[in-house]
PDB file of all heavy atoms in Angstrom:
ATOM      1  N   THR C 223     -22.117  -4.786  -0.617  1.00 98.00           N
ATOM      2  CA  THR C 223     -21.337  -5.643   0.264  1.00 98.00           C
ATOM      3  C   THR C 223     -21.863  -7.077   0.183  1.00 98.00           C
ATOM      4  O   THR C 223     -22.978  -7.324  -0.234  1.00 98.00           O
ATOM      5  CB  THR C 223     -21.407  -5.157   1.715  1.00 98.00           C
ATOM      6  OG1 THR C 223     -22.774  -5.141   2.139  1.00 98.00           O
ATOM      7  CG2 THR C 223     -20.813  -3.759   1.850  1.00 98.00           C
ATOM      8  N   GLY C 224     -21.019  -8.000   0.611  1.00 98.00           N
ATOM      9  CA  GLY C 224     -21.377  -9.409   0.591  1.00 98.00           C
ATOM     10  C   GLY C 224     -20.173 -10.237   0.186  1.00 98.00           C
ATOM     11  O   GLY C 224     -19.323  -9.789  -0.582  1.00 98.00           O
ATOM     12  N   GLU C 225     -20.097 -11.450   0.704  1.00 98.00           N
ATOM     13  CA  GLU C 225     -18.951 -12.320   0.458  1.00 98.00           C
ATOM     14  C   GLU C 225     -18.764 -12.626  -1.026  1.00 98.00           C
ATOM     15  O   GLU C 225     -17.644 -12.844  -1.484  1.00 98.00           O
ATOM     16  CB  GLU C 225     -19.127 -13.616   1.247  1.00 98.00           C
ATOM     17  CG  GLU C 225     -17.895 -14.479   1.338  1.00 98.00           C
ATOM     18  CD  GLU C 225     -18.071 -15.646   2.281  1.00 98.00           C
ATOM     19  OE1 GLU C 225     -19.233 -16.089   2.480  1.00 98.00           O
ATOM     20  OE2 GLU C 225     -17.065 -16.111   2.853  1.00 98.00           O
ATOM     21  N   ASP C 226     -19.855 -12.618  -1.792  1.00 98.00           N
ATOM     22  CA  ASP C 226     -19.790 -12.892  -3.226  1.00 98.00           C
ATOM     23  C   ASP C 226     -19.871 -11.626  -4.064  1.00 98.00           C
ATOM     24  O   ASP C 226     -19.954 -11.710  -5.296  1.00 98.00           O
ATOM     25  CB  ASP C 226     -20.919 -13.842  -3.635  1.00 98.00           C
ATOM     26  CG  ASP C 226     -20.789 -15.215  -3.006  1.00 98.00           C
ATOM     27  OD1 ASP C 226     -19.660 -15.577  -2.603  1.00 98.00           O
ATOM     28  OD2 ASP C 226     -21.812 -15.916  -2.909  1.00 98.00           O
ATOM     29  N   LYS C 227     -19.859 -10.472  -3.410  1.00 98.00           N
ATOM     30  CA  LYS C 227     -20.040  -9.215  -4.139  1.00 98.00           C
ATOM     31  C   LYS C 227     -18.826  -8.294  -4.080  1.00 98.00           C
ATOM     32  O   LYS C 227     -18.629  -7.467  -4.977  1.00 98.00           O
ATOM     33  CB  LYS C 227     -21.260  -8.470  -3.594  1.00 98.00           C
ATOM     34  CG  LYS C 227     -22.566  -9.203  -3.797  1.00 98.00           C
ATOM     35  CD  LYS C 227     -23.727  -8.433  -3.211  1.00 98.00           C
ATOM     36  CE  LYS C 227     -25.050  -9.181  -3.413  1.00 98.00           C
ATOM     37  NZ  LYS C 227     -26.195  -8.439  -2.813  1.00 98.00           N
ATOM     38  N   LEU C 228     -18.030  -8.409  -3.016  1.00 98.00           N
ATOM     39  CA  LEU C 228     -16.909  -7.486  -2.837  1.00 98.00           C
ATOM     40  C   LEU C 228     -15.679  -8.254  -2.364  1.00 98.00           C
ATOM     41  O   LEU C 228     -15.721  -8.949  -1.343  1.00 98.00           O
ATOM     42  CB  LEU C 228     -17.266  -6.406  -1.813  1.00 98.00           C
ATOM     43  CG  LEU C 228     -16.276  -5.242  -1.668  1.00 98.00           C
ATOM     44  CD1 LEU C 228     -16.186  -4.445  -2.964  1.00 98.00           C
ATOM     45  CD2 LEU C 228     -16.684  -4.328  -0.520  1.00 98.00           C
ATOM     46  N   SER C 229     -14.584  -8.126  -3.104  1.00 98.00           N
ATOM     47  CA  SER C 229     -13.320  -8.781  -2.763  1.00 98.00           C
ATOM     48  C   SER C 229     -12.256  -7.722  -2.498  1.00 98.00           C
ATOM     49  O   SER C 229     -12.128  -6.759  -3.266  1.00 98.00           O
ATOM     50  CB  SER C 229     -12.869  -9.686  -3.917  1.00 98.00           C
ATOM     51  OG  SER C 229     -11.550 -10.136  -3.728  1.00 98.00           O
ATOM     52  N   LEU C 230     -11.504  -7.905  -1.427  1.00 98.00           N
ATOM     53  CA  LEU C 230     -10.433  -6.973  -1.079  1.00 98.00           C
ATOM     54  C   LEU C 230      -9.160  -7.767  -0.818  1.00 98.00           C
ATOM     55  O   LEU C 230      -9.127  -8.610   0.083  1.00 98.00           O
ATOM     56  CB  LEU C 230     -10.811  -6.142   0.146  1.00 98.00           C
ATOM     57  CG  LEU C 230      -9.953  -4.908   0.450  1.00 98.00           C
ATOM     58  CD1 LEU C 230     -10.700  -3.938   1.361  1.00 98.00           C
ATOM     59  CD2 LEU C 230      -8.623  -5.269   1.104  1.00 98.00           C
ATOM     60  N   LEU C 231      -8.131  -7.518  -1.617  1.00 98.00           N
ATOM     61  CA  LEU C 231      -6.827  -8.165  -1.452  1.00 98.00           C
ATOM     62  C   LEU C 231      -5.833  -7.110  -0.977  1.00 98.00           C
ATOM     63  O   LEU C 231      -5.618  -6.112  -1.648  1.00 98.00           O
ATOM     64  CB  LEU C 231      -6.375  -8.783  -2.780  1.00 98.00           C
ATOM     65  CG  LEU C 231      -5.221  -9.796  -2.717  1.00 98.00           C
ATOM     66  CD1 LEU C 231      -5.184 -10.630  -3.991  1.00 98.00           C
ATOM     67  CD2 LEU C 231      -3.871  -9.127  -2.523  1.00 98.00           C
ATOM     68  N   SER C 232      -5.248  -7.353   0.184  1.00 98.00           N
ATOM     69  CA  SER C 232      -4.335  -6.406   0.827  1.00 98.00           C
ATOM     70  C   SER C 232      -2.935  -7.004   0.911  1.00 98.00           C
ATOM     71  O   SER C 232      -2.781  -8.185   1.223  1.00 98.00           O
ATOM     72  CB  SER C 232      -4.862  -6.081   2.234  1.00 98.00           C
ATOM     73  OG  SER C 232      -3.922  -5.356   2.999  1.00 98.00           O
ATOM     74  N   ILE C 233      -1.912  -6.185   0.612  1.00 98.00           N
ATOM     75  CA  ILE C 233      -0.530  -6.668   0.642  1.00 98.00           C
ATOM     76  C   ILE C 233       0.313  -5.752   1.530  1.00 98.00           C
ATOM     77  O   ILE C 233       0.250  -4.523   1.408  1.00 98.00           O
ATOM     78  CB  ILE C 233       0.073  -6.735  -0.778  1.00 98.00           C
ATOM     79  CG1 ILE C 233      -0.825  -7.557  -1.707  1.00 98.00           C
ATOM     80  CG2 ILE C 233       1.468  -7.343  -0.729  1.00 98.00           C
ATOM     81  CD1 ILE C 233      -0.327  -7.659  -3.125  1.00 98.00           C
ATOM     82  N   GLY C 234       1.113  -6.363   2.401  1.00 97.00           N
ATOM     83  CA  GLY C 234       1.943  -5.617   3.332  1.00 97.00           C
ATOM     84  C   GLY C 234       3.406  -5.589   2.945  1.00 97.00           C
ATOM     85  O   GLY C 234       3.841  -6.240   1.990  1.00 97.00           O
ATOM     86  N   THR C 235       4.188  -4.849   3.723  1.00 97.00           N
ATOM     87  CA  THR C 235       5.611  -4.643   3.440  1.00 97.00           C
ATOM     88  C   THR C 235       6.510  -5.266   4.501  1.00 97.00           C
ATOM     89  O   THR C 235       7.618  -4.805   4.750  1.00 97.00           O
ATOM     90  CB  THR C 235       5.921  -3.141   3.322  1.00 97.00           C
ATOM     91  OG1 THR C 235       5.549  -2.485   4.546  1.00 97.00           O
ATOM     92  CG2 THR C 235       5.177  -2.509   2.168  1.00 97.00           C
ATOM     93  N   GLY C 236       6.025  -6.342   5.129  1.00 96.00           N
ATOM     94  CA  GLY C 236       6.821  -7.023   6.141  1.00 96.00           C
ATOM     95  C   GLY C 236       6.470  -6.563   7.545  1.00 96.00           C
ATOM     96  O   GLY C 236       6.120  -5.402   7.760  1.00 96.00           O
ATOM     97  N   PHE C 237       6.564  -7.489   8.495  1.00 95.00           N
ATOM     98  CA  PHE C 237       6.274  -7.149   9.885  1.00 95.00           C
ATOM     99  C   PHE C 237       7.115  -8.039  10.787  1.00 95.00           C
ATOM    100  O   PHE C 237       7.718  -9.020  10.344  1.00 95.00           O
ATOM    101  CB  PHE C 237       4.782  -7.292  10.196  1.00 95.00           C
ATOM    102  CG  PHE C 237       4.268  -8.706  10.147  1.00 95.00           C
ATOM    103  CD1 PHE C 237       3.994  -9.395  11.319  1.00 95.00           C
ATOM    104  CD2 PHE C 237       4.039  -9.342   8.934  1.00 95.00           C
ATOM    105  CE1 PHE C 237       3.523 -10.701  11.279  1.00 95.00           C
ATOM    106  CE2 PHE C 237       3.551 -10.650   8.883  1.00 95.00           C
ATOM    107  CZ  PHE C 237       3.303 -11.328  10.067  1.00 95.00           C
ATOM    108  N   TRP C 238       7.160  -7.694  12.069  1.00 94.00           N
ATOM    109  CA  TRP C 238       7.952  -8.444  13.034  1.00 94.00           C
ATOM    110  C   TRP C 238       7.470  -8.132  14.431  1.00 94.00           C
ATOM    111  O   TRP C 238       6.830  -7.102  14.675  1.00 94.00           O
ATOM    112  CB  TRP C 238       9.444  -8.104  12.900  1.00 94.00           C
ATOM    113  CG  TRP C 238       9.751  -6.634  13.025  1.00 94.00           C
ATOM    114  CD1 TRP C 238      10.111  -5.940  14.153  1.00 94.00           C
ATOM    115  CD2 TRP C 238       9.698  -5.666  11.967  1.00 94.00           C
ATOM    116  NE1 TRP C 238      10.286  -4.614  13.875  1.00 94.00           N
ATOM    117  CE2 TRP C 238      10.063  -4.413  12.537  1.00 94.00           C
ATOM    118  CE3 TRP C 238       9.409  -5.724  10.595  1.00 94.00           C
ATOM    119  CZ2 TRP C 238      10.100  -3.237  11.782  1.00 94.00           C
ATOM    120  CZ3 TRP C 238       9.459  -4.557   9.843  1.00 94.00           C
ATOM    121  CH2 TRP C 238       9.806  -3.328  10.443  1.00 94.00           C
ATOM    122  N   GLN C 239       7.756  -9.030  15.354  1.00 90.00           N
ATOM    123  CA  GLN C 239       7.400  -8.822  16.752  1.00 90.00           C
ATOM    124  C   GLN C 239       8.406  -7.875  17.391  1.00 90.00           C
ATOM    125  O   GLN C 239       9.609  -8.127  17.367  1.00 90.00           O
ATOM    126  CB  GLN C 239       7.399 -10.151  17.515  1.00 90.00           C
ATOM    127  CG  GLN C 239       7.068 -10.036  18.994  1.00 90.00           C
ATOM    128  CD  GLN C 239       5.658  -9.554  19.232  1.00 90.00           C
ATOM    129  OE1 GLN C 239       4.714 -10.084  18.667  1.00 90.00           O
ATOM    130  NE2 GLN C 239       5.507  -8.539  20.076  1.00 90.00           N
ATOM    131  N   ARG C 240       7.918  -6.805  17.920  1.00 85.00           N
ATOM    132  CA  ARG C 240       8.804  -5.833  18.570  1.00 85.00           C
ATOM    133  C   ARG C 240       8.864  -6.129  20.066  1.00 85.00           C
ATOM    134  O   ARG C 240       7.838  -6.342  20.711  1.00 85.00           O
ATOM    135  CB  ARG C 240       8.293  -4.407  18.328  1.00 85.00           C
ATOM    136  CG  ARG C 240       8.283  -4.041  16.841  1.00 85.00           C
ATOM    137  CD  ARG C 240       7.658  -2.675  16.619  1.00 85.00           C
ATOM    138  NE  ARG C 240       7.483  -2.424  15.203  1.00 85.00           N
ATOM    139  CZ  ARG C 240       8.352  -1.779  14.433  1.00 85.00           C
ATOM    140  NH1 ARG C 240       9.477  -1.331  14.967  1.00 85.00           N
ATOM    141  NH2 ARG C 240       8.118  -1.585  13.161  1.00 85.00           N
ATOM    142  N   HIS C 241      10.064  -6.106  20.601  1.00 84.00           N
ATOM    143  CA  HIS C 241      10.222  -6.368  22.037  1.00 84.00           C
ATOM    144  C   HIS C 241      11.504  -5.694  22.513  1.00 84.00           C
ATOM    145  O   HIS C 241      12.594  -6.237  22.370  1.00 84.00           O
ATOM    146  CB  HIS C 241      10.268  -7.863  22.328  1.00 84.00           C
ATOM    147  CG  HIS C 241      10.228  -8.182  23.788  1.00 84.00           C
ATOM    148  ND1 HIS C 241       9.055  -8.226  24.504  1.00 84.00           N
ATOM    149  CD2 HIS C 241      11.225  -8.445  24.671  1.00 84.00           C
ATOM    150  CE1 HIS C 241       9.326  -8.518  25.766  1.00 84.00           C
ATOM    151  NE2 HIS C 241      10.633  -8.648  25.897  1.00 84.00           N
ATOM    152  N   ASP C 242      11.351  -4.514  23.079  1.00 85.00           N
ATOM    153  CA  ASP C 242      12.484  -3.809  23.669  1.00 85.00           C
ATOM    154  C   ASP C 242      12.628  -4.214  25.136  1.00 85.00           C
ATOM    155  O   ASP C 242      11.659  -4.642  25.772  1.00 85.00           O
ATOM    156  CB  ASP C 242      12.278  -2.296  23.588  1.00 85.00           C
ATOM    157  CG  ASP C 242      12.254  -1.795  22.154  1.00 85.00           C
ATOM    158  OD1 ASP C 242      13.023  -2.321  21.334  1.00 85.00           O
ATOM    159  OD2 ASP C 242      11.466  -0.879  21.860  1.00 85.00           O
ATOM    160  N   THR C 243      13.816  -4.078  25.653  1.00 88.00           N
ATOM    161  CA  THR C 243      14.008  -4.356  27.068  1.00 88.00           C
ATOM    162  C   THR C 243      13.377  -3.242  27.900  1.00 88.00           C
ATOM    163  O   THR C 243      13.230  -2.104  27.431  1.00 88.00           O
ATOM    164  CB  THR C 243      15.505  -4.443  27.415  1.00 88.00           C
ATOM    165  OG1 THR C 243      16.115  -3.154  27.209  1.00 88.00           O
ATOM    166  CG2 THR C 243      16.206  -5.481  26.543  1.00 88.00           C
ATOM    167  N   VAL C 244      12.982  -3.574  29.096  1.00 94.00           N
ATOM    168  CA  VAL C 244      12.399  -2.571  29.992  1.00 94.00           C
ATOM    169  C   VAL C 244      13.390  -1.433  30.215  1.00 94.00           C
ATOM    170  O   VAL C 244      13.025  -0.246  30.221  1.00 94.00           O
ATOM    171  CB  VAL C 244      12.006  -3.220  31.335  1.00 94.00           C
ATOM    172  CG1 VAL C 244      11.584  -2.143  32.342  1.00 94.00           C
ATOM    173  CG2 VAL C 244      10.889  -4.239  31.127  1.00 94.00           C
ATOM    174  N   GLU C 245      14.663  -1.782  30.366  1.00 90.00           N
ATOM    175  CA  GLU C 245      15.691  -0.772  30.601  1.00 90.00           C
ATOM    176  C   GLU C 245      15.769   0.205  29.430  1.00 90.00           C
ATOM    177  O   GLU C 245      15.894   1.428  29.632  1.00 90.00           O
ATOM    178  CB  GLU C 245      17.047  -1.446  30.813  1.00 90.00           C
ATOM    179  CG  GLU C 245      18.169  -0.452  31.124  1.00 90.00           C
ATOM    180  CD  GLU C 245      19.507  -1.156  31.305  1.00 90.00           C
ATOM    181  OE1 GLU C 245      19.661  -2.292  30.809  1.00 90.00           O
ATOM    182  OE2 GLU C 245      20.393  -0.545  31.935  1.00 90.00           O
ATOM    183  N   THR C 246      15.682  -0.303  28.200  1.00 88.00           N
ATOM    184  CA  THR C 246      15.735   0.562  27.027  1.00 88.00           C
ATOM    185  C   THR C 246      14.599   1.572  27.041  1.00 88.00           C
ATOM    186  O   THR C 246      14.789   2.757  26.752  1.00 88.00           O
ATOM    187  CB  THR C 246      15.665  -0.282  25.742  1.00 88.00           C
ATOM    188  OG1 THR C 246      16.798  -1.145  25.688  1.00 88.00           O
ATOM    189  CG2 THR C 246      15.645   0.614  24.512  1.00 88.00           C
ATOM    190  N   VAL C 247      13.404   1.116  27.396  1.00 90.00           N
ATOM    191  CA  VAL C 247      12.238   1.994  27.381  1.00 90.00           C
ATOM    192  C   VAL C 247      12.318   3.050  28.476  1.00 90.00           C
ATOM    193  O   VAL C 247      12.128   4.242  28.221  1.00 90.00           O
ATOM    194  CB  VAL C 247      10.941   1.166  27.522  1.00 90.00           C
ATOM    195  CG1 VAL C 247       9.733   2.099  27.648  1.00 90.00           C
ATOM    196  CG2 VAL C 247      10.775   0.235  26.331  1.00 90.00           C
ATOM    197  N   VAL C 248      12.610   2.623  29.692  1.00 90.00           N
ATOM    198  CA  VAL C 248      12.576   3.581  30.805  1.00 90.00           C
ATOM    199  C   VAL C 248      13.726   4.586  30.727  1.00 90.00           C
ATOM    200  O   VAL C 248      13.642   5.673  31.322  1.00 90.00           O
ATOM    201  CB  VAL C 248      12.594   2.858  32.168  1.00 90.00           C
ATOM    202  CG1 VAL C 248      11.370   1.980  32.320  1.00 90.00           C
ATOM    203  CG2 VAL C 248      13.874   2.053  32.356  1.00 90.00           C
ATOM    204  N   ARG C 249      14.777   4.266  30.004  1.00 88.00           N
ATOM    205  CA  ARG C 249      15.896   5.196  29.868  1.00 88.00           C
ATOM    206  C   ARG C 249      15.838   5.993  28.567  1.00 88.00           C
ATOM    207  O   ARG C 249      16.789   6.694  28.216  1.00 88.00           O
ATOM    208  CB  ARG C 249      17.222   4.434  29.951  1.00 88.00           C
ATOM    209  CG  ARG C 249      17.478   3.844  31.326  1.00 88.00           C
ATOM    210  CD  ARG C 249      18.884   3.289  31.448  1.00 88.00           C
ATOM    211  NE  ARG C 249      19.156   2.789  32.796  1.00 88.00           N
ATOM    212  CZ  ARG C 249      20.318   2.286  33.180  1.00 88.00           C
ATOM    213  NH1 ARG C 249      21.332   2.206  32.326  1.00 88.00           N
ATOM    214  NH2 ARG C 249      20.490   1.846  34.424  1.00 88.00           N
ATOM    215  N   SER C 250      14.724   5.891  27.842  1.00 88.00           N
ATOM    216  CA  SER C 250      14.583   6.626  26.588  1.00 88.00           C
ATOM    217  C   SER C 250      14.633   8.129  26.834  1.00 88.00           C
ATOM    218  O   SER C 250      14.156   8.630  27.865  1.00 88.00           O
ATOM    219  CB  SER C 250      13.254   6.270  25.916  1.00 88.00           C
ATOM    220  OG  SER C 250      13.239   4.919  25.533  1.00 88.00           O
ATOM    221  N   LYS C 251      15.201   8.832  25.868  1.00 87.00           N
ATOM    222  CA  LYS C 251      15.247  10.287  25.927  1.00 87.00           C
ATOM    223  C   LYS C 251      13.976  10.862  25.301  1.00 87.00           C
ATOM    224  O   LYS C 251      13.261  10.185  24.559  1.00 87.00           O
ATOM    225  CB  LYS C 251      16.468  10.812  25.175  1.00 87.00           C
ATOM    226  CG  LYS C 251      17.783  10.191  25.624  1.00 87.00           C
ATOM    227  CD  LYS C 251      18.066  10.457  27.089  1.00 87.00           C
ATOM    228  CE  LYS C 251      19.408   9.857  27.508  1.00 87.00           C
ATOM    229  NZ  LYS C 251      19.671   9.996  28.947  1.00 87.00           N
ATOM    230  N   ALA C 252      13.723  12.122  25.582  1.00 82.00           N
ATOM    231  CA  ALA C 252      12.512  12.766  25.062  1.00 82.00           C
ATOM    232  C   ALA C 252      12.454  12.694  23.548  1.00 82.00           C
ATOM    233  O   ALA C 252      11.396  12.448  22.956  1.00 82.00           O
ATOM    234  CB  ALA C 252      12.449  14.220  25.536  1.00 82.00           C
ATOM    235  N   TRP C 253      13.607  12.898  22.878  1.00 76.00           N
ATOM    236  CA  TRP C 253      13.617  12.887  21.413  1.00 76.00           C
ATOM    237  C   TRP C 253      13.399  11.487  20.840  1.00 76.00           C
ATOM    238  O   TRP C 253      12.989  11.340  19.698  1.00 76.00           O
ATOM    239  CB  TRP C 253      14.898  13.504  20.882  1.00 76.00           C
ATOM    240  CG  TRP C 253      16.161  12.943  21.487  1.00 76.00           C
ATOM    241  CD1 TRP C 253      16.815  11.804  21.146  1.00 76.00           C
ATOM    242  CD2 TRP C 253      16.902  13.522  22.569  1.00 76.00           C
ATOM    243  NE1 TRP C 253      17.923  11.617  21.923  1.00 76.00           N
ATOM    244  CE2 TRP C 253      18.013  12.667  22.822  1.00 76.00           C
ATOM    245  CE3 TRP C 253      16.761  14.675  23.350  1.00 76.00           C
ATOM    246  CZ2 TRP C 253      18.962  12.928  23.810  1.00 76.00           C
ATOM    247  CZ3 TRP C 253      17.704  14.926  24.341  1.00 76.00           C
ATOM    248  CH2 TRP C 253      18.782  14.064  24.555  1.00 76.00           C
TER     249      TRP C 253
END
Side-chain angles (χ1 to χ4, degrees):
T223 59
E225 193 172 26
D226 295 338
K227 296 179 180 179
L228 189 64
S229 169
L230 194 160
L231 195 162
S232 170
I233 306 179
T235 58
F237 67 105
W238 56 94
Q239 179 65 50
R240 298 175 188 266
H241 188 82
D242 295 322
T243 65
V244 172
E245 182 181 22
T246 298
V247 174
V248 298
R249 293 189 177 182
S250 295
K251 306 300 182 185
W253 51 82

